[in-house]
Amino acid sequence: MRRLAAVSGATAGSARLWMGQTHVAPATRSSDHHHGASETAIYVVSGTPSFVFLEGDREVRLDTKPGDYVFVPPYVPHREENPDPSQDAVVVIARSTQEAIVVNLPDLRPR
């Protein structure tokens, strides 16, 4: 995944907000992870990325398209996927921390 900062402490002097664009390569999937105390809002610009969360013991998949929004609360385990074999997925991300907190997990289920 390639991240490009647009609004950040370095680019605009913001103290708590980071916003930028993320490009997810075709046929790519992140590891299972969470973003610590950071809230994350996602806007899908192009492609058809999927976001996978747990609901009880069942994985729930949010298949998105351009124009969709996704909210990831703090500490919620999830993963991002781009199932398209030929097209990047491009999303705009806004998060409530300057640093990109990524806590990798062995899987989505708590231990």
Side-chain angles (χ1 to χ4, degrees):
M1 293 185 196
R2 199 173 81 232
R3 287 186 173 78
L4 308 166
V7 176
S8 68
T11 64
S14 63
R16 292 182 301 272
L17 179 68
W18 185 95
M19 188 173 188
Q21 201 174 79
T22 300
H23 294 246
V24 184
T28 299
R29 136 187 191 152
S30 74
S31 63
D32 295 338
H33 65 281
H34 68 74
H35 298 293
S38 184
E39 291 184 316
T40 305
I42 301 161
Y43 174 75
V44 180
V45 176
S46 64
T48 56
S50 298
F51 301 87
V52 182
F53 300 88
L54 275 186
E55 191 171 279
D57 285 338
R58 184 174 69 90
E59 284 191 3
V60 174
R61 174 184 213 77
L62 299 175
D63 295 322
T64 66
K65 62 188 179 319
D68 287 347
Y69 291 87
V70 176
F71 175 64
V72 182
Y75 300 102
V76 170
H78 65 284
R79 75 176 166 267
E80 299 95 17
E81 300 178 359
N82 179 6
D84 191 304
S86 60
Q87 179 183 356
D88 275 9
V90 179
V91 299
V92 170
I93 294 178
R95 65 175 183 250
S96 62
T97 57
Q98 287 296 304
E99 64 281 350
I101 301 168
V102 178
V103 178
N104 288 314
L105 304 168
D107 61 41
L108 294 177
R109 287 157 186 76
R111 303 254 168 190

